[in-house]
Amino acid sequence: MKIELFATLLLLCIGLAYVEYQKSPNENLDPIKLQLNRETQPNITQVVDSLNDLIDSLQKAIRFETATFQAIAWVESRHDSNAIGDGGKAYGMLQMHSIAVEEVNRVWGTNFNHDDAFNPRHATDMFWMIMAQAYQKDPDWNEMIQWWNGGPSIRNANTTSYLQKVKNKIPDYYYATENT
């Protein structure tokens, strides 16, 4: 189960890095478009530069994911792992409802219970499992953030407002990790 989650999260990171890379690729160095044949062998500098660009994009994607997670935890509870909200229905720093825990268990074959949302490690694991599931449905971070707030099909003024709160907080965490 852990390997499957890791593989899914790695694919999520690579997918986001590739999207970032495609926004401004250097056409001459694009590894997808390079044709390695006898007539057009790129020099080693071109290949290394291209790989460095791809690695840089991957690092930015990971930093963005981490910043998004931190922003969501801040919006949900100000990072309070003992928080209880939504009339006693939402637990922990990520304010997880029992239905989210049940969905994680159903999809991933895990055995979490609602009280595990108070444990930051378990809450984080469940969060990334849900994000991996959301990414498979729609790899758009706006949709994924709204999914966290309202579930897979609810889009309304509340989820739009929530999305804006999270997006406003992301730079605080993204730039804080820029040079780490």
Side-chain angles (χ1 to χ4, degrees), residues 49-99:
D49 286 347
S50 183
L51 291 174
N52 284 338
D53 289 345
L54 195 56
I55 289 167
D56 183 55
S57 295
L58 183 58
Q59 288 172 334
K60 287 178 183 174
I62 291 168
R63 207 166 75 229
F64 175 76
E65 290 177 4
T66 302
T68 301
F69 169 79
Q70 294 292 337
I72 287 172
W74 187 87
V75 168
E76 291 289 354
S77 70
R78 308 298 192 263
H79 298 274
D80 180 358
S81 61
N82 295 313
I84 298 176
D86 288 345
K89 297 177 187 173
Y91 292 2
M93 69 180 183
L94 295 166
Q95 291 295 279
M96 296 188 75
H97 284 252
S98 61
I99 193 165

Side-chain angles (χ1 to χ4, degrees), residues 94-154:
L94 295 166
Q95 291 295 279
M96 296 188 75
H97 284 252
S98 61
I99 193 165
V101 176
E102 292 166 11
E103 182 68 3
V104 165
N105 289 336
R106 184 187 68 76
V107 171
W108 292 92
T110 54
N111 196 26
F112 290 109
N113 64 59
H114 196 200
D115 286 340
D116 287 330
F118 289 119
N119 178 315
R121 173 63 186 217
H122 293 314
T124 300
D125 287 348
M126 288 187 281
F127 172 84
W128 286 114
M129 289 174 186
I130 290 170
M131 288 297 100
Q133 182 185 2
Y135 180 80
Q136 290 175 351
K137 300 261 188 222
D138 186 352
D140 177 289
W141 270 99
N142 291 328
E143 287 296 315
M144 292 165 63
I145 291 167
Q146 288 180 297
W147 180 325
W148 181 258
N149 181 244
S153 59
I154 298 174

